[in-house]
């Protein structure tokens, strides 16, 4: 599987990661070699094999529907890049 | 008295309770060693000197008052992947260079409860993605046995710090070999527990279905003491299992005669350095002399471990790392022109190349039209790999082989070739896919570079693995070797 520069740019956009256009050809090369490598999987017939999402085959644990978190607004705002009036501040979204 | 850094953790616990030295003296000793030697190794990202000395004094007071915890006053190094309240938790990334954790990870809580003292946070591959510790934003870590070589990764800072005895012991995390591979390359003992044994709460996630924290220390006896403080059920990690926790130190010296050791024929084949194989065979011979029986087994799908891993891990990483968006914490780019620009540039600047590569591979593998061919297929292969182990454990008690195919490689040697880097974890990855516990134990050297024996057990067999490793260490002293420059 070989990815071209345009495909890499599209994936980078999907992942919201800016990559310098100069660096894209090398990413394309590396990503293509990784995809070639994982394609060894294609040689195996896996029809009927139950996918394994998690090492322990147990049902998801449930808990009571009660509040367990305390209000830590100040603590969390203190480490944010930008805040205003007790809220996280981001660039304007709606003009 | 033996110098404090040449004592094992068990000896240090004994020395503290006998009053041979105080925690303040012990902690000072290790802080001085870090100051004197770490410029050569770069094994710490942050040294928490003041907090360490304050914690040491508190431990000394607790001991005087007769209520010392099991690790009271023992200095430890924590991998910089664990959230530590009030202390920078960078995960080796520029993204989190300015992140002061607002809470403690469960593993850190466990050590605090036991009375341990944190010396600082150790260097690591960025977001634990790497096998050489060269992807860290804070620079590569050097192997104390040869500072032109890598210590392994991703817990390379922890491994190097312990090998050079800049800390008596440390924590690591292991997603595809990140405890066991650096332990092997640095000549120390490391244990990756069963998936679900140690809570992942507060441990920065890389690949959630594979990540597991564990101890790294000179000996198995030391690892037993650390694991005791780490293991156990925790509501806050939904995959942490409510299984009884063994007393990991109680059975260390039990005889192992009759132990059936499986040797996967796929692990002793091309790609394995012949001198590494020779060291591993010597250790196996020693186990035979202790009454163990060697049985050839097969893990027929093991060649598919790395391909399946390099789909599952990047897919989970691309999902987990979407939380780093420059909004609530971590790096934000200057002067974003709009929200999309802020996301893209904050992430573009905050992440290094290997992290970006893995996020992109994951995003691709999970994208519409490709999910079945990659992620689903990898999960099916994961089942086959897990079934291989289940079959093997019907015949044998543990599985042994080399931890890595070669000793430590040179800095830069594999840095430009992701695939060749990925293959240095070829023997360890399958264990994470299956969720089994595994250890690396030092069993000798090749050209003065350490070699690790990989011991894999069935689910929840940590106590047995520690016992098996300890039996070898009762008769050998590879785990006591310290590189000359740091002796």
């Amino acid at each position: 599987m070989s990815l071209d520069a345009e495909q890499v740019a599209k994936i980078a956009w999907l992942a919201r990661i800016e990559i310098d256009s100069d660096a894209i050809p090398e990413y394309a090369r590396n990503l293509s070699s990784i995809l070639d490598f994982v394609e060894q999987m294609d040689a195996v017939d896996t029809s009927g094999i139950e996918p394994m999402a998690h090492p322990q085959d147990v049902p998801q644990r449930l808990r009571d529907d009660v509040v367990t978190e305390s209000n830590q607004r100040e603590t969390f705002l203190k480490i944010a890049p930008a805040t205003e009036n007790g809220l996280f501040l981001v660039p304007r979204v709606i003009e | 008295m033996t110098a404090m850094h040449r004592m094992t953790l068990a000896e240090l616990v004994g020395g503290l309770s006998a009053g041979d030295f105080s925690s303040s003296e012990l902690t000072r000793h290790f802080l001085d060693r870090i100051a004197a030697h770490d410029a050569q190794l770069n094994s710490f990202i942050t040294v928490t000197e003041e907090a360490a000395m304050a914690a040491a004094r508190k431990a000394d007071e607790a001991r005087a008052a007769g209520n010392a915890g099991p690790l009271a006053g023992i200095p430890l190094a924590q991998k910089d992947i664990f959230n530590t309240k009030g202390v920078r938790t960078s995960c080796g990334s520029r993204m989190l260079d300015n992140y002061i954790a607002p809470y403690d990870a469960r593993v850190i809580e466990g050590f605090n409860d036991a009375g341990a003292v944190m010396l600082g946070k150790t260097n690591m591959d960025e977001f634990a993605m790497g096998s050489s510790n060269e992807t860290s934003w804070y620079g590569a870590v050097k192997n104390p046995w040869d500072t032109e070589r890598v210590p392994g990764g991703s817990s390379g800072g922890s491994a190097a710090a312990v090998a050079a005895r800049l800390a008596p012991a440390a924590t690591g995390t292991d997603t595809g070999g990140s405890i066991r591979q650096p332990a092997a390359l640095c000549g120390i003992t490391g244990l990756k527990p069963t998936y679900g044994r140690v809570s992942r709460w507060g441990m920065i996630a890389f690949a959630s279905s594979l990540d597991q924290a564990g101890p790294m220390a000179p000996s198995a006896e030391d690892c037993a003491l650390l694991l005791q403080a780490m293991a156990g059920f925790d509501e806050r990690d939904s995959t942490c299992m409510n299984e009884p926790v063994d007393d990991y130190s109680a059975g260390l010296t039990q005889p192992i005669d009759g132990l059936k050791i499986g040797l996967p024929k796929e692990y002793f084949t091309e790609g394995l350095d012949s001198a590494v194989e020779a060291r591993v065979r010597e250790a196996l011979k020693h186990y035979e002399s202790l009454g163990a029986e060697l049985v050839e087994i097969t893990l027929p799908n093991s060649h598919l471990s790395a391909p399946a891993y390099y789909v599952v891990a990047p897919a989970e990483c691309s999902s987990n790392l979407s939380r780093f968006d420059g909004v609530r914490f971590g790096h934000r780019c200057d002067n974003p022109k709009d929200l999309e620009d802020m996301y893209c540039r904050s992430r573009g600047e905050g992440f290094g190349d290997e992290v970006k590569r893995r996020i992109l591979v994951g995003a691709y593998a999970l994208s519409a039209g490709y999910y079945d061919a990659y992620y689903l297929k990898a999960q099916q292969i994961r089942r086959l790999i897990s079934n291989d182990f289940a079959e093997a454990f019907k015949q044998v008690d543990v599985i042994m082989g080399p931890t890595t195919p070669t000793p430590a490689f040179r800095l830069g040697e594999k840095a430009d070739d992701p695939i060749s880097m990925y293959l240095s974890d070829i023997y360890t990855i399958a264990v994470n896919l299956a969720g089994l516990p595994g250890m690396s134990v030092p069993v000798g050297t090749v050209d003065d570079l350490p070699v690790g024996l990989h011991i894999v057990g069935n689910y929840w067999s940590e106590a047995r693995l520690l016992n098996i490793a300890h039996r070898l260490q009762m008769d050998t002293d590879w785990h006591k070797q310290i590189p000359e420059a740091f002796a």
Side-chain angles (χ1 to χ4, degrees):
Chain A
M1 181 74 207
S2 156
L3 294 179
D4 60 29
E6 197 182 325
Q7 287 169 299
V8 171
K10 187 183 166 216
I11 302 162
W13 165 248
L14 289 175
R16 298 296 187 274
I17 293 179
E18 185 179 82
I19 293 177
D20 286 345
S21 51
D22 296 357
I24 288 207
E26 201 194 333
Y27 273 93
R29 215 167 29 249
N30 278 324
L31 295 188
S32 299
S33 76
I34 293 167
L35 292 175
D36 281 343
F37 175 70
V38 305
E39 263 160 33
Q40 290 175 61
M41 297 192 306
D42 292 351
V44 188
D45 179 9
T46 51
S47 48
I49 307 284
E50 177 77 10
M52 179 173 162
H54 181 291
Q56 309 293 352
D57 280 326
V58 292
Q60 183 68 52
R61 196 171 63 238
L62 300 177
R63 66 169 176 84
D64 293 338
D65 186 15
V66 292
V67 176
T68 54
E69 288 292 321
S70 56
N71 183 359
Q72 300 185 67
R73 187 175 195 141
E74 291 312 311
T75 312
F76 295 144
L77 286 174
K78 244 187 351 218
I79 55 170
T83 61
E84 196 175 286
N85 300 328
L87 302 168
F88 295 116
L89 194 62
V90 297
R92 182 182 294 276
V93 180
I94 302 162
E95 292 297 337
Chain B
M1 187 178 87
T2 315
M4 288 182 275
H5 62 273
R6 276 187 231 119
M7 294 185 177
T8 68
L9 206 60
E11 287 168 345
L12 291 176
V13 170
L16 283 169
S17 55
D20 296 342
F21 42 82
S22 68
S23 173
S24 299
E25 289 167 312
L26 182 63
T27 303
R28 185 76 263 160
H29 181 70
F30 280 100
L31 288 169
D32 288 347
R33 286 184 60 78
I34 294 168
H37 296 294
D38 201 40
Q40 288 175 72
L41 299 177
N42 196 28
S43 66
F44 280 85
I45 290 173
T46 305
V47 178
T48 49
E49 175 157 354
E50 260 177 59
M53 289 309 297
R57 282 191 295 274
K58 211 173 120 194
D60 286 333
E61 283 161 20
R63 191 171 296 283
N67 53 11
L71 294 173
I74 294 290
L76 298 176
Q78 304 291 356
K79 185 176 182 180
D80 207 16
I81 198 169
F82 295 103
N83 275 276
T84 42
K85 191 173 182 171
V87 176
R88 174 173 62 176
T89 299
S90 76
C91 222
S93 181
R94 183 184 181 196
M95 180 59 85
L96 293 177
D97 182 55
N98 63 0
Y99 171 66
I100 308 296
Y103 71 112
D104 280 327
R106 165 61 208 146
V107 163
I108 302 295
E109 287 176 351
F111 284 120
N112 288 345
D113 292 347
V117 170
M118 183 172 87
L119 292 168
K121 309 289 296 286
T122 54
N123 205 341
M124 54 182 285
D125 278 298
E126 185 179 7
F127 285 106
M129 298 174 202
S131 307
S132 66
N133 221 116
E134 292 170 293
T135 72
S136 170
W137 163 251
Y138 301 91
V141 176
K142 317 290 165 52
N143 190 317
W145 294 94
D146 176 351
T147 52
E148 289 179 3
R149 289 177 188 268
V150 304
S154 65
S155 312
S158 290
V162 173
R165 303 301 194 266
L166 306 190
T171 51
T173 60
D174 191 316
T175 304
S178 282
I179 287 175
R180 292 160 289 158
Q181 185 254 21
L185 302 192
C186 289
I188 65 166
T189 305
L191 167 65
K192 182 203 91 76
T194 306
Y195 182 82
R197 176 73 295 171
V198 175
S199 170
R200 294 181 296 109
W201 197 77
M203 181 176 120
I204 296 172
F206 158 17
S208 303
S209 78
L210 303 165
D211 297 342
Q212 188 63 197
M216 303 176 79
S219 72
E221 189 182 18
D222 300 341
C223 285
L225 290 170
L226 296 176
L227 183 61
Q228 208 71 54
M230 301 174 80
F233 180 61
D234 179 14
E235 278 270 303
R236 297 166 298 182
D237 169 4
S238 65
T239 58
C240 189
M241 300 282 286
N242 198 352
E243 285 283 319
V245 176
D246 292 317
D247 180 336
Y248 296 114
S249 300
L252 284 173
T253 57
Q254 270 174 21
I256 55 163
D257 49 292
L259 180 77
K260 282 200 174 137
I261 300 173
L263 307 179
K265 62 177 187 199
E266 293 83 2
Y267 289 5
F268 293 90
T269 170
E270 60 173 318
L272 174 59
D273 181 294
S274 59
V276 169
E277 176 171 357
R279 295 296 90 77
V280 168
R281 298 263 182 211
E282 284 156 22
L284 293 171
K285 221 173 173 60
H286 191 81
Y287 277 116
E288 273 189 306
S289 76
L290 294 173
E293 183 193 339
L294 305 182
V295 183
E296 186 180 273
I297 58 163
T298 174
L299 299 171
N301 293 292
S302 56
H303 64 291
L304 296 169
S305 305
Y309 177 86
Y310 279 99
V311 172
V312 171
E316 295 185 10
C317 123
S318 91
S319 168
N320 270 322
L321 271 61
S322 64
R323 77 192 59 186
F324 301 104
D325 56 6
V327 175
R328 293 150 300 148
F329 55 87
H331 178 73
R332 178 185 287 194
C333 66
D334 288 333
N335 308 315
K337 64 176 197 283
D338 56 31
L339 193 62
E340 297 292 356
D341 180 52
M342 188 187 85
Y343 291 150
C344 292
R345 280 203 290 131
S346 298
R347 289 163 65 77
E349 293 167 6
F351 295 138
D353 281 339
E354 178 62 17
V355 171
K356 287 180 195 165
R357 272 198 287 272
R358 295 204 197 186
I359 292 175
L360 296 184
V361 169
Y364 179 74
L366 292 174
S367 62
Y370 296 101
Y371 180 86
D372 286 3
Y374 288 103
Y375 195 63
L376 199 72
K377 182 90 183 179
Q379 285 191 319
Q380 289 174 315
I381 301 230
R382 186 174 184 178
R383 174 80 59 193
L384 297 176
I385 289 163
S386 181
N387 290 348
D388 283 355
F389 280 110
E391 276 306 307
F393 284 124
K394 286 179 189 164
Q395 279 176 267
V396 298
D397 302 306
V398 290
I399 294 169
M400 290 192 190
T403 308
T404 60
T406 65
F409 42 93
R410 289 183 185 282
L411 287 154
E413 188 178 322
K414 301 185 181 190
D416 297 327
D417 181 359
I419 303 294
S420 114
M421 186 72 84
Y422 294 175
L423 292 175
S424 71
D425 291 325
I426 190 86
Y427 306 123
T428 49
I429 280 173
V431 172
N432 298 75
L433 289 169
L436 296 164
M439 282 189 84
S440 183
V441 180
V443 291
T445 57
V446 172
D447 299 331
D448 295 325
L449 296 170
V451 170
L453 172 75
H454 194 203
I455 312 176
V456 181
N458 214 335
Y459 298 108
W460 316 110
S461 66
E462 288 81 3
R464 185 67 167 145
L465 292 183
L466 289 161
N467 161 226
I468 292 164
H470 183 69
R471 289 300 307 202
L472 183 71
Q473 293 182 335
M474 286 167 69
D475 304 329
T476 59
D477 67 355
W478 298 111
H479 59 291
K480 292 187 180 157
Q481 310 273 330
I482 305 175
E484 219 171 272
F486 305 94

